[in-house]
Amino acid sequence: MDLKLPPPVVLLITFGGMYLLSQYWPLWIFSFWGQFMLVLVFCLGGTLVGMAGVMSFAKERTTVDPRNPHKASSLVTSGIYRFSRNPMYLGLVLFLIAAFLYLSALSALVMIPLFIFYMNNFQIGPEEDVLEAIFGEEYRQYCEQVRRWC
């Protein structure tokens, strides 16, 4: 697998795009009571979901580095991985939702589906190919039981 951009870099690029869209093409600026609290809830959710994924990997003593899925020493299917095959990436999406709410411009929302498209096609897909090659039928069964995102 030849990963071009690590997920944190993709996240930062997406944040940048969201910011630029909100500043230079601010479609439908919004504000509502409790908006900042909702931003905090999504940030907390992103942190908890992402950290649960990292902790599950640490417990199994396998790599969390998305650039090297071939170094996976075990298939993690416990903890949060019972509900999502990609909780770390799901956590990043929750941060993007928080950023959208914080920026308060509908135009910034465009970047979230683009992030998901990129991750599905250039990160998760290649990772899944490597994991299937390593873990075979066990991984295929896991994929049938647990959704990719949530």
Side-chain angles (χ1 to χ4, degrees):
M1 183 175 111
D2 187 23
L3 179 61
K4 303 292 185 226
L5 294 172
V9 173
V10 177
L11 179 72
L12 291 175
I13 291 168
T14 306
F15 278 146
M18 292 175 81
Y19 175 78
L20 292 173
L21 286 169
S22 72
Q23 295 300 304
Y24 298 106
W25 194 41
L27 287 179
W28 192 54
I29 303 299
F30 59 86
S31 178
F32 56 88
W33 184 88
Q35 183 174 350
F36 186 70
M37 186 58 72
L38 196 56
V39 168
L40 293 177
V41 167
F42 276 100
C43 284
L44 178 62
T47 300
L48 293 175
V49 169
M51 288 306 297
V54 170
M55 289 180 353
S56 291
F57 270 42
K59 184 178 176 184
E60 295 290 326
R61 294 193 170 114
T62 191
T63 182
V64 296
D65 187 351
R67 296 170 298 164
N68 297 305
H70 60 279
K71 291 184 179 179
S73 58
S74 64
L75 180 61
V76 180
T77 60
S78 60
I80 196 161
Y81 287 90
R82 292 178 292 149
F83 309 105
S84 172
R85 294 195 319 253
N86 296 287
M88 290 182 247
Y89 301 146
L90 179 58
L92 299 181
V93 170
L94 294 175
F95 280 118
L96 290 174
I97 293 169
F100 160 67
L101 292 169
Y102 180 80
L103 293 169
S104 305
L106 186 63
S107 53
L109 184 62
V110 169
M111 296 303 294
I112 297 174
L114 291 175
F115 176 84
I116 293 170
F117 174 82
Y118 180 88
M119 294 304 288
N120 277 335
N121 291 288
F122 299 102
Q123 180 65 43
I124 296 171
E127 278 181 11
E128 289 178 338
D129 292 343
V130 171
L131 293 173
E132 185 174 355
I134 294 171
F135 299 108
E137 185 59 30
E138 180 184 8
Y139 184 71
R140 285 189 290 279
Q141 287 178 354
Y142 172 65
C143 289
E144 289 176 11
Q145 296 169 355
V146 179
R147 294 172 56 127
R148 181 179 269 182
W149 286 92
C150 62

